[in-house]
Amino acid sequence: MLFEVGDRIEHQARSTERAPRRGMIEEVVTVDPAPRYRILWDDGHESLYTPHDGALLRSPPLPELAGPAPGR
């Protein structure tokens, strides 16, 4: 599965002791022969990542922050 800049992703940990890691694709570095991405993780860290099969999944977008209702 290929991802694009701005896609929200979830990295499935190889260990059952670690929770999935979530972030956003900041850059598609390479596509061939294997995709490589620059990811900004939700914890503020950034990394270059070449996923192994099934390690990255599309994640739903973050909910929009609700502001005050118009006219208030």
Side-chain angles (χ1 to χ4, degrees), residues 1 5-6 17-18 34-35 42 56 58:
M1 174 184 300
V5 172
E17 297 176 9
R18 286 187 277 174
D42 289 353
L56 281 185
R58 233 176 269 293

Side-chain angles (χ1 to χ4, degrees), residues 3-64:
F3 298 97
E4 297 178 358
V5 172
D7 284 349
R8 295 277 310 152
I9 52 92
E10 182 174 288
H11 173 260
Q12 298 297 312
R14 290 185 177 186
S15 168
T16 57
E17 297 176 9
R18 286 187 277 174
R21 193 172 184 195
R22 292 175 180 86
M24 184 174 67
I25 303 292
E26 291 284 303
E27 176 184 5
V28 178
V29 179
T30 61
V31 176
D32 289 323
R36 187 170 192 172
Y37 305 102
R38 185 169 53 90
I39 300 173
L40 177 60
W41 300 102
D42 289 353
D43 66 5
H45 289 90
E46 184 177 282
S47 59
L48 289 176
Y49 185 74
T50 303
H52 58 278
D53 290 341
L56 281 185
L57 303 172
R58 233 176 269 293
S59 180
L62 291 175
E64 301 264 342

